[in-house]
Amino acid sequence: MLPGSSGTQRRCSFSRTLGDKASPPLRRVSGQMIEEIFNRLCTDLYPNYRTLFVQAQYEQVINDYVNAMRDMSLKQRRGHSPLAGTKEALARRFSVGSVATFENRIQNEYASLMKGEWKGRGDQGVAEITLQLHPLEELLLGELRTSSEQRVLDERTVPILSANQTAELARSLGYRDEETLLVLQLLSARGYVRYDRQSNIIYLAQFGPDPAELRSRLKHVSLILIVFLQPVDNKASLPHYKLPNRSKGKDRSACARRRRFG
């Protein structure tokens, strides 16, 4: 409630007429119009923000997602391979007892974390879902991969980010620290990052080849091959290699050995 204002005054001040004058028009009236204005300002300030506070029990929702990844392959966890099964089986895998509730969760709470395709009717109908990285996961993973800071951990040199760097980057995009911790939990479950408690850093820790990196390496090798396989028009540009001199006697003896054992 606004200080010094009654309900009637609020309804008059934030009326439908006032909302229609906004661009784009505001759909709500009274106190709800204030909330709509606030949400619109937040969207303008942080256009790339995708909340992880999807509901009051948001931690449990994310934990169900993380726990479901435990029995998945690395490719499935990272979204490079789909997960198929009956609707009922997939719902149970994510600790959801109702198929309808699971479908609703995919469309809402998991909208930034997976996409699904439903085939057939009923709980025994076939479904296929593909996990995907949250936008903040993609951003932090990209920053980590290109980080100039490196350290020897797990017997190899790896790029690192300090916890403070990670938090500040996420805050600049509108994320709260609680959301950043959830995202790091997701990245860890996908096998992308690890946390070094002693140094308070996160570092790249892949448990297998990453398709994105393999594609990048393949592209690099392809470019090298293209250069070396270019047709050469000018023979003079070819490098001149000189074979070592070999005596005729040695050549004849080699031929003799070849005939003897041939």
Side-chain angles (χ1 to χ4, degrees), residues 16-154:
R16 176 66 65 187
T17 302
L18 178 63
D20 290 339
K21 293 180 180 179
S23 180
L26 295 165
R27 297 184 297 273
R28 300 178 179 179
V29 295
S30 189
Q32 291 185 334
M33 183 182 290
I34 301 174
E35 181 180 349
E36 186 177 357
I37 293 172
F38 176 79
N39 290 335
R40 188 174 292 184
L41 289 173
C42 287
T43 301
D44 291 340
L45 283 172
Y46 306 110
N48 297 316
Y49 174 79
R50 298 293 181 272
T51 184
L52 282 156
F53 295 144
V54 288
Q55 56 159 267
Q57 304 297 324
Y58 66 91
E59 287 182 319
Q60 185 59 53
V61 170
I62 299 300
N63 283 336
D64 290 342
Y65 184 95
V66 170
N67 290 333
M69 283 196 281
R70 291 180 178 176
D71 298 327
M72 297 183 194
S73 68
L74 191 66
K75 291 174 64 177
Q76 290 171 334
R77 281 182 275 159
R78 294 179 175 181
H80 301 307
S81 178
L83 188 66
T86 65
K87 299 176 184 178
E88 184 180 30
L90 289 176
R92 285 201 309 267
R93 193 163 191 167
F94 285 83
S95 302
V96 180
S98 163
V99 169
T101 301
F102 185 54
E103 289 185 39
N104 183 67
R105 183 172 285 191
I106 291 176
Q107 296 172 3
N108 295 284
E109 289 91 340
Y110 290 156
S112 297
L113 294 171
M114 72 169 65
K115 53 186 177 182
E117 183 178 350
W118 305 96
K119 301 175 183 177
R121 297 180 179 180
D123 292 358
Q124 297 305 312
V126 179
E128 185 176 276
I129 61 173
T130 303
L131 304 192
Q132 58 189 29
L133 272 67
H134 185 275
L136 185 57
E137 282 186 271
E138 294 181 341
L139 177 68
L140 293 182
L141 185 57
E143 288 291 323
L144 184 57
R145 281 174 168 164
T146 58
S147 174
S148 59
E149 294 186 62
Q150 295 188 336
R151 190 169 298 181
V152 177
L153 292 163
D154 297 337

